[in-house]
Amino acid sequence: METTIKTAKAEVLSTFPFAGNISKNSLEEIINIALGKKLYFQSKEMIYSLTEHLNPRPLEVDFTDGSEYNKYWDWRNDIGRWMRNHYLPLWKRINGEVRTIEEACELCANIWMNKIFNVALQDNGAWDDGHVGAAMNALGSVLKINAMSEVSKEMKDKAKEGIKNFYLRNKYGRYFGCDYHPCPELNNILLDAGAPKNKIDDICPWKTYISIMPEDNSVLVHTYQKDEYV
């Protein structure tokens, strides 16, 4: 097993784009640091960060053919392909998946349940946009609190089951999202669970998408403020 990993690592090192611009020892050190990250997204971002000096991003945005800006993005794309085709299989062999797909679906359901039924704050990033932005978020939060008070435990249990089953059926292919209004599938699950039709928009979080990452079964929670991988 150890020999196989050594062979795979050697192949990964030999295929890295711009390998001639960095010593083998330095590149191997970067790969080892990245392999120590237990979430693949973090591992991928570590490689981008630690190799940025090889080809710094030009300050001038220029999309003409042959520009330094285009060359920079071509190189970034080369690294992306290298990671998908060479680095990811090695990372998975060493780290495996963070959870089973069933556990990932359960986690997605739990996160949605918390964001829909427990978190009162509505936030689209407009708190700092002056009086209008802050007032919009404050009003949304008040409406959400009122809507949360009208949902029974039975409704919550049925909603969670529906959300979990949706992810189990679709896995990596489709996911739920809210952009002031829930996507049709989430809306229908909440309706079927017995949530009042006129309260569904109020109770669902703004600017939220939750998906399962096929690389390692981590869960991406995307909101207006940030992307969080768990």
Side-chain angles (χ1 to χ4, degrees):
M1 179 65 173
E2 183 64 27
T3 302
T4 305
I5 289 178
K6 281 186 177 180
T7 302
K9 187 181 288 187
E11 190 268 342
V12 165
L13 291 169
S14 68
T15 55
F16 179 77
F18 276 30
N21 292 25
I22 186 171
S23 71
K24 181 180 177 181
N25 287 342
S26 296
L27 182 57
E28 186 171 12
E29 183 179 356
I30 289 172
I31 298 302
N32 286 336
I33 292 171
L35 287 171
K37 298 295 180 180
K38 301 307 178 186
L39 291 179
Y40 180 68
F41 173 80
Q42 294 174 347
S43 181
K44 181 172 70 171
E45 289 303 299
M46 180 63 68
I47 289 176
Y48 279 131
S49 172
L50 295 177
T51 59
E52 182 76 13
H53 66 283
L54 299 178
N55 190 17
R57 180 175 178 169
L59 297 178
E60 182 181 353
V61 177
D62 178 7
F63 287 106
T64 58
D65 290 343
S67 70
E68 292 304 311
Y69 193 76
N70 267 357
K71 289 178 182 177
Y72 167 80
W73 283 110
D74 287 344
W75 178 65
R76 289 274 294 196
N77 290 335
D78 286 343
I79 289 185
R81 283 189 290 271
W82 168 81
M83 283 196 278
R84 287 192 300 272
N85 297 329
H86 301 281
Y87 177 72
L88 175 58
L90 174 63
W91 183 91
K92 291 189 76 167
R93 181 179 295 178
I94 291 173
N95 292 288
E97 297 171 335
V98 295
R99 58 182 63 88
T100 66
I101 187 62
E102 292 79 12
E103 290 169 338
C105 295
E106 178 80 17
L107 179 57
C108 287
N110 286 337
I111 296 172
W112 274 118
M113 292 299 292
N114 183 55
K115 287 187 172 293
I116 294 172
F117 298 114
N118 293 333
V119 177
L121 179 67
Q122 289 287 34
D123 190 2
N124 65 355
W127 287 106
D128 297 325
D129 289 349
H131 175 73
V132 175
M136 181 180 179
N137 284 283
L139 175 60
S141 299
V142 170
L143 292 173
K144 187 168 182 7
I145 291 170
N146 291 337
M148 287 163 56
S149 68
E150 298 187 26
V151 180
S152 67
K153 182 181 184 304
E154 183 181 2
M155 290 178 189
K156 292 179 184 179
D157 291 343
K158 191 171 181 181
K160 179 180 177 180
E161 192 67 19
I163 292 170
K164 182 173 70 174
N165 287 336
F166 175 89
Y167 280 96
L168 283 169
R169 289 194 306 273
N170 293 285
K171 298 181 175 65
Y172 314 114
R174 295 168 64 197
Y175 53 87
F176 285 147
C178 296
D179 189 356
Y180 295 108
H181 312 283
C183 62
E185 294 91 346
L186 180 55
N187 181 80
N188 291 336
I189 284 175
L190 294 174
L191 272 179
D192 290 343
K197 183 177 182 179
N198 64 335
K199 297 293 184 181
I200 289 177
D201 284 354
D202 294 340
I203 202 170
C204 286
W206 295 346
K207 304 290 184 182
T208 300
Y209 299 85
I210 299 175
S211 55
I212 301 171
M213 307 308 292
E215 294 89 352
D216 57 2
N217 287 340
S218 61
V219 170
L220 168 59
V221 183
H222 170 81
T223 64
Y224 186 92
Q225 295 80 11
K226 63 179 179 179
D227 286 347
E228 181 182 8
Y229 290 81
V230 294

